Every structure is written in C-alpha cells, then in structure tokens.
Amino acid sequence: MNYQKLFFGVTQHFLMIPSIEWKDESNTVRMIDQTLLPHELVFLEFKDFRGVANSIKIMNIRGAPAIGVAAAMGMALAALEFQYMDTATYISYMKQAANTITATRPTAVNLFWAVKRMLNVLEKNLKKNPKDITNMLIEEAKGMWKEDIDTNRAIGKHGAHVLVDGDTVLTHCNAGSLATVQYGTALAPVRWAIEEQGKKIQVIANETRPRLQGARLTAYELQYDKIPVKVQSDNCSGLIMMLGNIDKVIVGADRIVSDAVFNKIGTYLVALAAKRHNIPFYVAAPESTLSLDETRKDVTIEQRDGKEVANVLGKVHIVPDGVEIINFAFDITPFDLITGIITEHGIFKHRELLKRYKSSFG
Ligand code: MRU
C-alpha cells in the first residue's frame, strides 16, 4: 500500500483523516469506503440522502457513532433537496427521509438518536422558512461531527486511568477511529495512554468474523498510527487469557440498555472468558449509545445476509450450498460480566450508570 500515492504526494497521518466529513464548498458528504480497507483507501461522495442511507446499510460506513453522524448528514442532504418546497411538504418529506435513514440498520442506537436530534431541530423551528431550517440542520450535523471527536477524546482521557504501563489490551470488532468520526471509543483509552501519558500499551485485535472489522480495520488504523497490534482469530480469546497474555479487555457498544450491552457478535464470549480469568472487561461508549429506558427485550438484533458467513469477504465460498446460515450481527453482554462503562464523563459501574442516566431510577 502506498499512502503517499493515495494522498497525491502528501504524506499524512491517518488520524488526520476523519471517517466522514461535510464538504461546505459542495454541500457533499465524503466518507471512507470501509468495505475496501485495508487494501484500498477510497473516498465516496454523496449529495443525495438516499446514497448515504445505502452506505450505512451496506456498511461503507459502520460503527455506532460514525453511523449516527452519517445519519445526521444524510438528514442535512435531504433538507437541501427539499428546501424549495412549501413548509408542509418540506416537513412531510423530511419525515420520510428520516424513515429511510432509520430503516438501514436496527441495532446501533446512535442512528436513531441522531435522526431524532435532527427532527427536534426541525420541530422546534416550524415557524421558520425551509431554507433557514435547512441551514440550521446543516449546522446541527456539523456540530455533531465536532462533538463526536471531543467526546471520544474525553472517553480516552477517563479510560486511560485503567491502563498501566506495559498492558496488553484485547479488543473485539473495530471501535476505533473508523467507527467514529475520529479517535474511537474502545481504542480511545489506548491512544490517550500512549500519546498523552507515554505508557507502553499493545493491542490484540480479534479478527471478528464474519465481516472482519478487527483484522481489516482495527489492525489497519493501529498499524498506521504505529500502535503495536497483533491479530488473532476470534477462537483464540479464551486461550490467550488462560496463558496470562491479556491485562484488560476494552470493547465498544452499539446500544447500552438498562440490563445489558449490545455489541458486535462475539463480545459476549469474550466477556465470559474474561470473567473466568479475572480480567477487567470495560465497555467504552458515548452517552449517545445509552438507551437506559429500554431492556434487552426491546432491542432488535440485526441479522444479516447468510452470504457474509458462507463467503469469506464475498469471495471464497466455504459452506455447502443449501445449508442454512445463522448471522446475528450483534450479541448481548449482561452487566455482571462488565467491570465498568467508560463514557465521556467517567467510568461507571452498572448501578452508578443507572443512577446517573436513567430517567426513572430511584
Ligand atoms: O457492524 P458494525 O461494524 O457497525 O459493528 C460495530 C461494532 O459493533 C462496534 O463495536 C460498535 O459500533 C462500537 S463503535 C465505536
């Protein structure tokens, strides 16, 4: 891979490139096509909210916080398209756009949170004309983009307290820079500990079948940032803990409800193994991933096309034709397996989290 060539002769640090951006000069959403990493770094550009919705669905962009920002920017594109309509039609079309965007993936709550936040701006400003509301929506989406980076850095600062010099951190899936606008959630404490505190930390990334976000994306961004990283098959998690090679586990989250954490399929098994071996297991996520008025029964776990399992990266077919495939994209980790939740405001145990954030917690 020749990064210099990719950046037209300018050597750039990977972290300088956000996973998604709003381009003011052209009112365009620009994002990294994560399906092509690590082999090619290609940028997609969208002027149509339907294209952004599809990019979430087919996972050009993925990771709960990144999906949230993409959804908000998709709403801003919809507003630009409908801004010359009369107010009633504009509002009705914006609600349809919201439905299109939220229908893309069911589990990561940041998607719904972001669209709701955009609709709130719309609803609070119904007396204004559509052009003015549109400008407000663009500013809101850009504000969410900026907030995401600040939030992740705060998660990093709090989370770095649990890491000691020399630690090896196991992570599952990709909850790094690529899964957010920049900096990451689960990888934020690692970055902070290394970059701001000078600690020596290494990461072991589970490959994360079937979409291989760990092997393709976590390894890619950490290698680029010169953070020591090794990849192992998901099946190694138990053994590597038994051998005493893991000090902490940190993962991200797609939705945190009052009795469990939803994250990438395989997280639950890692948490079980960590409990067995007394290894601290942390979940790092922004407040926008909290949905504490729900329980695990309220959440739809996305089930994706069986081809993702039957064909390795859509290329090599490994299952006999006609065999049914189970392909849950996320699983459920109960709180008794979780040492703490790292948010932008600190590290919380289950009860503390409910006390701080749940609307009706006594
Ligand atoms: O299916 P994906 O790749 O969108 O799943 C991503 C994850 O499960 C991440 O761990 C989660 O979104 C947290 S990202 C900061």
Side-chain angles (χ1 to χ4, degrees):
M1 219 176 322
N2 184 338
Y3 294 96
Q4 259 180 302
K5 193 170 135 210
L6 286 166
F7 291 103
F8 312 104
V10 182
T11 311
Q12 227 173 337
H13 192 257
F14 180 72
L15 281 178
M16 299 304 287
I17 313 164
S19 67
I20 183 164
E21 265 180 300
W22 179 270
K23 292 283 167 200
D24 272 328
E25 40 317 337
S26 51
N27 280 335
T28 306
V29 176
R30 184 180 195 251
M31 64 175 73
I32 296 174
D33 182 353
Q34 299 191 29
T35 63
L36 299 178
L37 291 173
H39 303 297
E40 286 176 81
L41 181 56
V42 170
F43 294 90
L44 301 172
E45 294 204 344
F46 298 99
K47 275 183 171 298
D48 184 330
F49 78 90
R50 298 164 197 84
V52 173
N54 190 51
S55 74
I56 296 171
K57 195 179 173 78
I58 67 171
M59 295 174 68
N60 300 120
I61 188 157
R62 33 64 53 199
I67 292 173
V69 172
M73 290 186 174
M75 289 293 286
L77 287 180
L80 279 164
E81 182 177 330
F82 305 138
Q83 65 180 331
Y84 299 109
M85 296 173 168
D86 64 79
T87 305
T89 317
Y90 174 78
I91 293 165
S92 147
Y93 275 47
M94 284 303 290
K95 289 192 173 156
Q96 286 177 40
N99 290 340
T100 302
I101 292 169
T102 50
T104 52
R105 296 192 74 188
T107 310
V109 77
N110 304 60
L111 175 69
F112 304 91
W113 166 86
V115 170
K116 197 168 162 198
R117 193 163 144 175
M118 295 296 276
L119 287 176
N120 280 346
V121 172
L122 179 76
E123 269 148 29
K124 279 195 189 137
N125 292 286
L126 290 179
K127 292 209 175 86
K128 298 199 170 72
N129 68 57
K131 261 191 113 179
D132 289 342
I133 303 175
T134 297
N135 287 334
M136 295 175 81
L137 289 171
I138 293 170
E139 288 314 307
E140 186 74 6
K142 283 161 58 181
M144 286 158 81
W145 181 92
K146 166 87 173 55
E147 271 171 36
D148 182 79
I149 301 171
D150 296 343
T151 297
N152 297 334
R153 289 185 66 80
I155 289 173
K157 190 174 180 176
H158 290 296
H161 287 297
V162 307
L163 297 177
V164 296
D165 198 23
D167 268 358
T168 298
V169 175
L170 176 65
T171 192
H172 191 74
C173 194
N174 171 261
S177 201
L178 288 161
T180 59
V181 172
Q182 261 181 337
Y183 209 75
T185 57
L187 297 185
V190 172
R191 289 191 196 291
W192 192 277
I194 294 173
E195 289 163 9
E196 311 288 333
Q197 300 176 326
K199 292 175 188 165
K200 281 198 171 57
I201 309 290
Q202 68 159 330
V203 175
I204 295 189
N206 276 349
E207 62 169 348
T208 319
R209 280 275 290 153
R211 304 254 337 182
L212 303 173
Q213 290 94 329
R216 296 189 304 107
L217 308 177
T218 300
Y220 176 78
E221 63 171 81
L222 291 181
Q223 184 190 51
Y224 200 91
D225 289 340
K226 299 191 171 47
I227 294 175
V229 59
K230 293 177 184 166
V231 172
Q232 64 178 10
S233 76
D234 300 327
N235 301 329
C236 284
S237 299
L239 175 68
I240 199 139
M241 290 183 198
M242 185 184 274
L243 294 175
N245 293 344
I246 301 296
D247 300 294
K248 316 271 153 51
V249 180
I250 312 182
V251 298
D254 289 87
R255 188 182 299 218
I256 300 177
V257 297
S258 62
D259 57 351
V261 168
F262 287 75
N263 191 48
K264 181 52 55 196
I265 192 77
T267 302
Y268 175 45
L269 282 175
V270 177
L272 282 170
K275 185 78 168 177
R276 174 72 176 80
H277 295 285
N278 291 319
I279 295 168
F281 181 98
Y282 291 97
V283 174
E287 277 184 2
S288 52
T289 304
L290 302 177
S291 189
L292 296 174
D293 290 330
E294 293 184 298
T295 71
R296 65 181 83 167
K297 292 200 188 82
D298 300 316
V299 184
T300 303
I301 299 186
E302 180 179 12
Q303 294 191 60
R304 297 184 64 87
D305 194 328
K307 286 188 191 125
E308 291 183 346
V309 174
N311 302 333
V312 177
L313 288 181
K315 290 179 185 123
V316 186
H317 195 65
I318 54 169
V319 180
D321 288 340
V323 172
E324 199 179 320
I325 307 288
I326 298 166
N327 187 17
F328 284 105
F330 302 97
D331 66 18
I332 306 169
T333 302
F335 273 102
D336 59 311
L337 301 178
I338 298 171
T339 311
I341 304 283
I342 307 167
T343 77
E344 61 269 45
H345 296 296
I347 305 179
F348 303 96
K349 298 232 171 269
H350 182 207
R351 220 189 136 70
E352 293 165 347
L353 191 80
L354 296 184
K355 208 166 166 195
R356 180 178 171 107
Y357 291 109
K358 190 167 158 32
S359 56
S360 59
F361 190 72

